[in-house]
Amino acid sequence: DVKVTQSSRYLVKRTGEKVFLECVQDMDHENMFWYRQDPGLGLRLIYFSYDVKMKEKGDIPEGYSVSREKKERFSLILESASTNQTSMYLCASSLGAGANSYGYTFGSGTRLTVV
Amino acid sequence: AQSVTQLDSHVSVSEGTPVLLRCNYSSSYSPSLFWYVQHPNKGLQLLLKYTSAATLVKGINGFEAEFKKSETSFHLTKPSAHMSDAAEYFCVVSGWGSQGNLIFGKGTKLSVKP
C-alpha cells in the first residue's frame, strides 16, 4: 500500500514563526499536493508539484511556499505564521501524468494551531 | 470548467437503514469521479472511483455509486448503515484546470444513530 506520512499530527506555533510541514511518500509517485481543510470550506489546494524541483501554485498560495528537493518529499513552509493559518493541512500524492484518473493517496493530516 | 456540488451538508440516518449521499457534477467531457471518506481526525481514504467503465461502481465497506450522465449525478449509496460509517464524505471530479487536478466538493457529514 502507498503510504503518505506527515511528520507531525499536531503542531502549535507562535505568530511570526517560520513553520515547516513535512510530507514523505514511499511509492515513487510523481505528483504531490498540499491542501488545507477548514470547516464549511472543504479542501483548498495550496501548492502542488509534478516533479522534483517543480512547483505550481494552487488556489490559495499566499503566505505559503513549498520545496521539493527529492521525489519522495514535499515540504510546505509558512514563512511567517499567522492566526488565519490555523487549519488542518493534508498532503497527498498520485501516480503518473494522468493524475486525475488514479485518485490521490492522502496522509493523516497535521492540525496546526497558530497562537 | 469542472465542478462538483454535494447537495447535503449533513445527512442523518439510523443504523440499519439505507444511506444516500447526493453529488452532481459539471464537466464538458467524460470525467473521472471519486468518493472519499474522512473519519474524525484522519486523512481522506478513497472509497471508490469511476473512470468510464461500468456505470455502477462498487467500493469498499459496502458502498457503491452510480454514474448517470443524463442527470450529471454520481450519488453514493449503501443498503444498510453501520455506526462505523459516521464520517465526512467528499465527492470529487477530475478537472482540466490546474493541470488536471482533482476538484473536491465541500463534503457531506454522515451521522448514524443507534
Side-chain angles (χ1 to χ4, degrees):
Chain A
D1 274 357
V2 178
K3 260 200 159 162
V4 177
T5 303
Q6 295 184 232
S7 55
S8 303
R9 189 75 184 90
Y10 298 95
L11 215 50
V12 180
K13 295 292 182 181
R14 295 194 181 280
T15 302
E17 273 193 80
K18 190 168 186 175
V19 181
F20 293 86
L21 302 184
E22 305 288 348
C23 175
V24 177
Q25 50 94 3
D26 66 358
M27 280 297 288
D28 206 33
H29 281 181
E30 287 89 347
N31 313 308
M32 297 189 75
F33 308 83
W34 275 107
Y35 287 87
R36 65 176 284 176
Q37 182 180 20
D38 301 287
L41 298 177
L43 273 73
R44 293 181 290 169
L45 181 63
I46 305 171
Y47 267 97
F48 58 101
S49 169
Y50 283 155
D51 203 348
V52 176
K53 296 195 185 295
M54 286 182 60
K55 59 184 179 185
E56 297 285 345
K57 292 180 180 178
D59 301 316
I60 52 163
E62 296 78 19
Y64 303 94
S65 62
V66 290
S67 172
R68 194 162 180 204
E69 296 296 318
K70 294 184 178 181
K71 191 175 186 179
E72 66 271 18
R73 186 179 296 270
F74 192 37
S75 303
L76 180 69
I77 304 156
L78 285 65
E79 298 291 344
S80 176
S82 64
T83 54
N84 62 13
Q85 292 178 309
T86 292
S87 186
M88 170 72 96
Y89 289 87
L90 293 167
C91 176
S93 72
S94 70
L95 178 67
N100 54 22
S101 65
Y102 290 101
Y104 297 169
T105 300
F106 281 87
S108 297
T110 295
R111 187 166 293 281
L112 173 68
T113 302
V114 182
V115 298
Chain B
Q2 284 65 47
S3 66
V4 62
T5 302
Q6 292 184 245
L7 298 169
D8 306 292
S9 59
H10 191 197
V11 170
S12 182
V13 301
S14 297
E15 192 174 20
T17 64
V19 175
L20 169 64
L21 305 183
R22 299 182 296 163
C23 173
N24 286 352
Y25 70 91
S26 172
S27 178
S28 54
Y29 62 100
S30 184
S32 293
L33 292 158
F34 309 80
W35 276 98
Y36 280 83
V37 60
Q38 185 180 32
H39 288 93
N41 296 311
K42 302 277 178 139
L44 276 72
Q45 180 185 17
L46 182 64
L47 263 183
L48 51 82
K49 62 183 178 185
Y50 166 78
T51 53
S52 73
T55 55
L56 184 62
V57 183
K58 293 189 184 301
I60 60 173
N61 301 334
F63 284 93
E64 61 183 36
E66 186 171 8
F67 174 73
K68 290 187 177 180
K69 186 175 182 179
S70 59
E71 299 175 12
T72 61
S73 69
F74 190 57
H75 301 334
L76 182 71
T77 60
K78 183 173 181 177
S80 176
H82 192 273
M83 295 297 291
S84 61
D85 294 328
E88 190 156 22
Y89 293 80
F90 293 90
C91 183
V92 183
V93 66
S94 58
W96 285 110
S98 297
Q99 300 189 40
N101 291 336
L102 299 185
I103 297 166
F104 287 79
K106 291 215 172 8
T108 297
K109 188 170 183 181
L110 176 65
S111 300
V112 182
K113 297 174 288 187

